[in-house]
Structures are given as C-alpha cells and as structure tokens.
Amino acid sequence: MASAPRPIAALHDVPADPRGSAIPGSRPGLHSPLQTAVWKKVSRLRGKPAFTGQGPGWHALAILEQRAVGSYLYVPYGPVARTEHGFLDGLEWARTVASESGALFLRVEPQVLRSWSAPTPQAEVSRQRAMLSRAGFRPALADLQPRRTRCIDLARPAEEVLGDMTGTNRTVYRSTAQRGISVGISRDPADIGYLAELMSTTAARSGFTAQEPGQLTALAEAVLPEGHGALFLARHDGRVISAILTLDGGGIRVFAHGATDRRFSRLRAHQSAVITAILDARRYGVQVADLYGIAPTDDPQHPWAGFSRFKASFGGYVVEHAGAWDLPVSPAAYKLVRSISALRRGVRTVRRSGLRVATPITARSEPGSRPRAGSAARWSPGTAS
C-alpha cells in the first residue's frame, strides 16, 4: 500500500527497509537535490504543486507539471530507494498521487539503486529498466534530466581530488591569482543578475531563448540565502566574466547553471571557478560533485563530445540513470499527448536541420528543463522549468 504524502522535512534520508539490505557499495542517503526540500520550495515559488511521500526503504518528491493539454506528475531522479521493494513501493505511491491529482500520466526519472558514489554498472541500469517495464511504464519520448553525468568523489583529501584532474587544470587553478582572476562566493540572490546577463548575452549571440529571468531569480531566492546553493563569480579587473550557480542537497552538489564571457576565454576563468566550486563543496562536507550531464554515448563524433571531454578534464566517473519513463493514468489522453509531442519534436528537428550548433548547452538549462540547442555554457544538456 502507498503511504500518504507527508512533509518533506522528513526526507533527509531514506528510511531503512526491513525486507532487504541496501545495495552493496552504495552510500545510504545520497540522492539528487531535486529530491529535497529545497526543490519543493523552488517548485512552489514557480506555482507548481508538490507532493512528498516516504516509506520503508524509499522517499519521493513529485511535482505536478501543467501543460496546455493537461497535467502530468513528474518525479525527477526519484523515487529514491535503497532496495527494489522500496523502489516499487515508491512507484505505487506516485501512481496513486498522479491518479488523485487528475494527472494524465506519471513520469519518473529514477536514479539507479547503485548510484552517485561510483561508476554505474550497466547491469544495474538494465535491471531498473526491466522493473519499470514490468510495472507498466514505457520509455518517454525524451529525457528531462541528463541520463548520463560525470561525478566526482569528494570524500577524500583535496590533493587527491586535484590529482585526478588534468595537469592543465591544476596549473590553471593554482595560477588563478597570477592571471588576474579572483573567484568569490555569493549567497545574495541579487547577484544572480551577473549570471543572467552572461547567459542572455550568450543566448543572443547564439540565436536561442535564454532562461526567463523570473525563473532564475526564483531559483536563487530559494537556494542561496539558506545555504542550499552558491553562486561563484570569477572577476577580472573588477568585471564578472564567468559565473556558476550550484545547488546542494542529498549529499550532492549539482552544477546547475554556468556561463562565461567568451571574449575572456584565454584567461580560463571558468576552469578556476569550477575547481573552486568543487573544492568548496568538499570543504562543507558534500560527498559528490555532479557536473550535470554528458553525451549519451562515448562516441567522439557525438555533438556533445566536446563539452563531455571538458568535464572529464576535472576527473571523476560516469553515472548513468534509467532515463524518463511514463505510466499513463488516462490512456486515451496520454496517447494524444504523446502524438502531439512526437509531432512537435519532428517539427523542431526539421527547423534545426542544417544549422550549426556548437553544443547543446542552453542559457535555459537547469535541473528539470527540456534541452534545447545552443551554447550558453559548458554545463547541463537538459535540466526543470
């Protein structure tokens, strides 16, 4: 039986499940910030109803997303579970909430049971996809969150973290001041304007739509004042030339937004800011840095291969998830929604054919939004709007 929604304040860790032990090699409690109280706050500031549930071996945050044709219930990187029993119970809870809230369908994008703290065994991904299929889910047309990402283990000495980076990155970091770069940390939401301006400039140059300022401001207001995130600003001669917004929760720091002024790219301020943010996370006890999204394959010809190599230069390992899966609540309505979505995706593909796209990173990218083509930064290929 599914448990009733309860305050997310209780969701700081995954309750023990007496029916089975945690996955060997995993770190109990590690989960995405998108499954924490801060993301519930962000969602509510954006006018989106949010629901929480928990039971033996699982917890979940679900968000009701509104679309023109109706609503769907979305569980980003969840349900979070320590056992297969807990995972299935979390799915049943989400199914109940979707039905009771009038959603047309349920969409989940769960982390695999062995996740975040080590490279993901492909067998674990396959096992979870099989569980979803047996539970009646079907693959969605597109992922909302990155299916593959690069993570860095921070539960070790700083010199080991630096030692896994390329020699070039270590040199860049250690010579930050010599290059006239200073990297500061802000938790003032008003400073989000620096990042917004860099993202807007890049979007204008690349010809696509930037993140709406109100959405970015809501995120900053939710995470910065209470220390659930940080804004890293790299300056040269007093001018902000690179900025990164991070989101913390569940033992993980997600690099949610980043942008840089390409006129100053030779100074490599962005690399200095990234490494500063990584080491800052370690200093505050965060266990994993999630650089948030890489190419879906290791194909060197893939359009995202360039920024994937950039992220690999900071060390770490590849974490893979099961992707987005849908469970129709209203089968006829879901079939219509899926047909419309497929048609729209086809139109966008035709419109973009022949266009030169540097990377799929967008000025709109943040945890939870759908990817668009463009080049605003070197971070997520898709993130929740």
Side-chain angles (χ1 to χ4, degrees):
M1 294 292 292
S3 60
R6 64 184 66 187
I8 199 168
L11 304 183
H12 295 306
D13 201 352
V14 186
D17 187 346
R19 297 165 298 179
S21 59
I23 301 299
S26 64
R27 292 183 195 165
L30 274 182
H31 52 275
S32 169
L34 304 191
Q35 283 293 317
T36 63
V38 65
W39 200 250
K40 182 177 183 180
K41 183 177 180 180
V42 171
S43 299
R44 288 188 166 176
L45 284 174
R46 292 173 171 179
K48 300 178 180 182
F51 308 86
T52 62
Q54 92 175 26
W58 70 275
H59 71 65
L61 166 65
I63 301 160
L64 193 63
E65 299 280 356
Q66 300 290 341
R67 293 296 181 263
V69 294
S71 62
Y72 70 94
L73 190 71
Y74 176 48
V75 186
Y77 285 146
V80 179
R82 296 180 65 181
T83 65
E84 292 186 6
H85 288 296
F87 179 63
L88 294 174
D89 285 351
L91 291 179
E92 180 58 31
W93 169 84
R95 184 202 306 258
T96 300
V97 174
S99 178
E100 293 177 350
S101 62
L104 302 181
F105 63 95
L106 165 65
R107 175 166 292 171
V108 300
E109 231 166 349
Q111 63 182 47
V112 297
L113 299 183
R114 183 197 299 271
S115 192
W116 303 112
S117 57
T120 310
Q122 190 58 44
E124 295 292 336
V125 179
S126 298
R127 181 179 297 114
Q128 188 170 56
R129 290 173 181 166
M131 281 193 292
L132 287 162
S133 181
R134 288 195 299 269
F137 286 77
R138 60 184 296 184
L141 290 176
D143 297 333
L144 298 183
Q145 306 304 324
R147 183 174 299 202
R148 295 176 85 224
T149 189
R150 179 162 289 276
C151 292
I152 300 170
D153 181 6
L154 302 180
R156 53 197 177 128
E159 284 306 311
E160 287 188 20
V161 176
L162 285 169
D164 282 351
M165 301 181 187
T166 62
T168 297
N169 277 354
R170 292 195 298 272
T171 299
V172 165
Y173 173 68
R174 289 165 176 157
S175 65
T176 296
Q178 298 172 21
R179 289 177 286 112
I181 303 296
S182 63
V183 180
I185 305 173
S186 173
R187 288 188 169 83
D188 182 354
D191 286 341
I192 200 67
Y194 292 114
L195 176 60
E197 182 178 357
L198 286 169
M199 294 171 72
S200 177
T201 300
T202 304
R205 183 179 66 246
S206 303
F208 58 90
T209 304
Q211 171 81 22
E212 296 177 8
Q215 298 284 306
L216 198 58
T217 298
L219 180 60
E221 290 177 347
V223 306
L224 294 181
E226 298 180 10
H228 297 303
L231 181 64
F232 295 83
L233 303 173
R235 289 179 166 88
H236 177 66
D237 289 338
R239 177 192 185 114
V240 174
I241 61 174
S242 186
I244 297 169
L245 178 63
T246 62
L247 177 64
D248 295 348
I252 297 171
R253 169 164 290 182
V254 168
F255 285 64
H257 285 281
T260 190
D261 190 329
R262 299 299 172 85
R263 295 174 299 176
F264 298 90
S265 59
R266 61 179 178 81
L267 295 175
R268 300 191 176 185
H270 206 61
Q271 282 93 323
S272 291
V274 170
I275 298 173
T276 298
I278 290 171
L279 295 181
D280 174 78
R282 179 195 168 278
R283 187 161 47 249
Y284 281 93
V286 176
Q287 297 183 55
V288 172
D290 178 4
L291 301 187
Y292 210 72
I294 58 174
T297 73
D298 293 326
D299 180 2
Q301 302 304 314
H302 192 280
W304 301 355
F307 77 80
S308 297
R309 286 192 296 270
F310 174 79
K311 294 182 182 185
S313 71
F314 297 99
Y317 47 88
V318 174
V319 168
E320 185 171 353
H321 305 289
W325 290 71
D326 292 345
L327 179 71
V329 176
S330 173
Y334 175 75
K335 184 176 181 180
L336 176 61
V337 169
R338 191 175 177 97
S339 297
I340 292 173
S341 297
L343 179 61
R344 287 176 175 171
R345 285 176 58 80
V347 170
R348 285 197 297 266
T349 299
V350 170
R351 286 177 176 173
R352 287 202 296 261
S353 62
L355 296 179
R356 181 179 181 274
V357 178
T359 76
I361 308 308
T362 79
R364 189 173 180 274
S365 291
E366 77 173 67
S369 66
R370 175 159 296 189
R372 295 182 181 181
S375 175
R378 296 180 183 267
W379 296 115
S380 59
T383 61
S385 57

